């Protein structure tokens, strides 16, 4: 049995390299913009759970700057991603926070989740980078 050999024409190599370029991955700044648009009203501009709508909620929003501290000093990427993305078994009223899945699944980037490269919506990959950056 002959081994399979994968070959790309030079133009294919260029396209592949461009698709994997570092600037293709969202960064903390991209996540900060998503956070400002979707999270500040409850979690506050600092991410500490003191947004303008927080007082009217039955349960205080999580202080997002303490996620790593509550996880032994390591940012809990898998847990944060699964919670933010949303559990399809639970609706908005069951979990208070809205689900951010759905149409986002059309634009995926690879994110290292506990050692496994996981296809993740680009917007949420940026948000994870931002949340990790604001840990104290």
């Amino acid at each position: 049995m002959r081994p399979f050999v994968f070959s790309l024409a030079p133009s294919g190599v260029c396209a592949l390299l461009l698709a994997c370029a570092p600037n293709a991955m969202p960064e903390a700044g991209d996540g900060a913009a998503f956070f400002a648009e979707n999270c500040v009203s409850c979690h506050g501009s600092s991410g500490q759970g003191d947004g303008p709508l927080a007082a009217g909620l039955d349960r205080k929003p999580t202080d997002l700057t303490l996620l790593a501290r509550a996880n032994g000093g390591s940012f809990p990427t898998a847990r944060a991603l699964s919670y933010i993305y949303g559990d399809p078994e639970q609706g908005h009223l069951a979990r208070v926070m809205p689900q951010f899945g759905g149409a986002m699944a059309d634009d995926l980037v690879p994110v290292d989740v506990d050692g496994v490269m996981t296809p993740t919506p680009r917007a949420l990959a940026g948000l994870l980078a931002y949340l990790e950056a604001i840990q104290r």
Side-chain angles (χ1 to χ4, degrees), residues 6-17:
F6 183 72
S7 170
L8 284 176
S11 62
V13 171
C14 290
L16 183 61
L17 289 175

Side-chain angles (χ1 to χ4, degrees), residues 41-117:
S41 60
C42 294
H43 292 282
S45 59
S46 66
Q48 295 178 349
D50 57 355
L53 299 180
L57 299 174
D58 290 336
R59 188 170 155 209
K60 184 179 186 323
T62 300
D63 182 338
L64 301 175
T65 67
L66 300 176
L67 297 176
R69 186 182 297 178
N71 193 51
S74 174
F75 184 74
T77 303
R79 192 169 76 227
L81 179 60
S82 67
Y83 193 82
I84 295 165
Y85 192 73
D87 181 349
E89 299 298 315
Q90 294 183 334
H92 174 262
L93 296 176
R95 56 181 253 130
V96 180
M97 195 175 99
Q99 297 178 42
F100 289 103
M104 287 184 168
D106 294 339
D107 185 12
L108 303 175
V109 295
V111 171
D112 183 347
V113 178
D114 296 337
V116 176
M117 295 309 282

